[in-house]
Amino acid sequence: MMKAILDDAARARLVDRFGPQVGPWCDALPALVARLAERWSLTVVDARPGNTGRTLLCHGPEGESRVLKLCPDPEISTGEATALQTWAGLSRVVQVLAVDFEEGAVLLEGLEPGTQLTGRGADVPWTEVGDLLAQLHSVRLPSARFPSLATRVRLMFELAERRLRGSAAEPRLPLELLHHARARAEDLATGGPVALLHGDLHPGNVLDAGPARGIVAIDPRPCLGDPAFDGVDWALLPMAAGATLDEGVAKLPGLDADRVRAWCAALAPLVAMAPLRAGAPTPFTEALLEMAR
């Protein structure tokens, strides 16, 4: 059971994200899962990797699909659940069934087939992507407190700098370039219109929920700020496939094109970092670094 709940690779990702102090939470995770499974009548059937917690695929009492999300940082799970509750009823957003903020636990509906859009390159349902962005940004600004986009940007770059130092990426992505990108991103974060943002809207956080429903967003890192921020990963998809940034931006007509381009340039080093840390530079990562310069 321990291996199914948290294997060594999953534990290593959590240590990379939160530091070694996450160890006691990892040790206590099987007992936490057992308590919640009994309370919510769940049977754990599988686990999914994640960088900020553990995602468990479950069956409910009638065999229905459920997803149990657990995070060692209650602030993250509380923010996620509160944002999802703000988006309650929107077809393009996963729905919350139950929460336990003290335990950092969120119970979600299951999505079938639930496959990520990662790996499809630029072959994504662009009309549905546009509808997803429109739904996310359509809600009235919530009364609940969410961090600002400036705060989100600061945390992203702080984590990126920690991961960059001493990694295989550092020779190709010097700290000076990362600092330059951070200054550009922080400047952008103080302007533009303000909406409730998903905050981490890449293809890995969008699932196929079947032909009747289409694509559905999961795993928000919500914040308040410029809607163009949520379009970055989508605008870059055609560029990763060999097209131009302008071709990607043109597929997102509901967003401010100039601000999407500016955000792409500011966040380009963060997009390039994962493959560079893995020692796998590509023409796309080189193009990203050139954009950042």
Side-chain angles (χ1 to χ4, degrees):
M1 182 176 180
M2 174 71 77
K3 182 176 177 60
I5 296 301
L6 189 71
D7 58 23
D8 290 342
R11 187 179 184 118
R13 283 191 294 272
L14 292 174
V15 171
D16 182 58
R17 172 61 175 82
F18 294 105
Q21 62 270 23
V22 79
W25 184 87
C26 294
D27 294 337
L29 186 60
L32 171 60
V33 171
R35 292 196 304 273
L36 293 171
E38 181 177 5
R39 183 196 309 174
W40 289 332
S41 300
L42 303 174
T43 301
V44 179
V45 296
D46 202 358
R48 289 290 182 266
N51 296 322
T52 59
R54 198 61 168 152
T55 299
L56 302 175
L57 306 187
C58 306
H59 290 154
E62 305 299 325
E64 64 274 27
S65 295
R66 297 287 183 260
V67 176
L68 177 61
K69 294 198 63 182
L70 302 157
C71 180
D73 184 345
E75 186 174 340
I76 292 177
S77 56
T78 298
E80 175 178 348
T82 304
L84 292 175
Q85 289 168 333
T86 303
W87 290 314
L90 299 183
S91 63
R92 299 289 182 205
V93 183
V94 68
Q95 301 296 295
V96 176
L97 303 178
V99 297
D100 186 328
F101 291 132
E102 290 187 2
E103 298 281 21
V106 183
L107 183 65
L108 303 168
E109 63 172 333
L111 301 170
E112 300 292 346
T115 51
Q116 299 172 317
L117 296 195
T118 305
R120 294 178 56 172
D123 184 24
V124 297
W126 287 103
T127 299
E128 293 183 25
V129 171
D131 186 47
L132 165 58
L133 289 162
Q135 286 195 20
L136 288 170
H137 304 150
S138 68
V139 298
R140 296 179 60 183
L141 291 181
S143 57
R145 294 186 62 183
F146 290 100
S148 67
L149 179 54
T151 298
R152 169 77 176 140
V153 163
R154 185 184 73 249
L155 293 175
M156 289 169 61
F157 276 91
E158 286 175 353
L159 178 61
E161 182 168 340
R162 178 165 66 82
R163 287 173 166 170
L164 177 63
R165 291 182 182 275
S167 76
E170 192 169 4
R172 306 185 75 91
L173 174 50
L175 283 171
E176 292 79 7
L177 183 58
L178 189 66
H179 293 162
H180 173 64
R182 174 174 174 170
R184 295 171 73 177
E186 289 180 338
D187 182 62
L188 279 168
T190 62
V194 177
L196 177 59
L197 308 183
H198 181 284
D200 197 22
L201 195 65
H202 55 77
N205 279 341
V206 178
L207 305 185
D208 178 1
R213 187 163 172 188
I215 64 171
V216 176
I218 62 170
D219 291 356
R221 295 292 174 265
C223 56
L224 299 176
D226 181 5
F229 178 87
D230 274 345
V232 168
D233 285 278
W234 305 94
L236 291 173
L237 285 180
M239 183 177 164
T244 66
L245 177 61
D246 284 345
E247 288 176 272
V249 172
K251 293 183 178 295
L252 305 171
L255 299 177
D256 183 315
D258 289 338
R259 294 192 67 83
V260 173
R261 291 188 193 92
W263 275 113
C264 287
L267 300 181
L270 304 190
V271 179
M273 186 176 296
L276 292 178
R277 286 180 72 206
T282 65
F284 178 51
T285 59
E286 292 306 303
L288 289 169
L289 296 180
E290 183 60 31
M291 185 189 305
R293 298 186 189 102

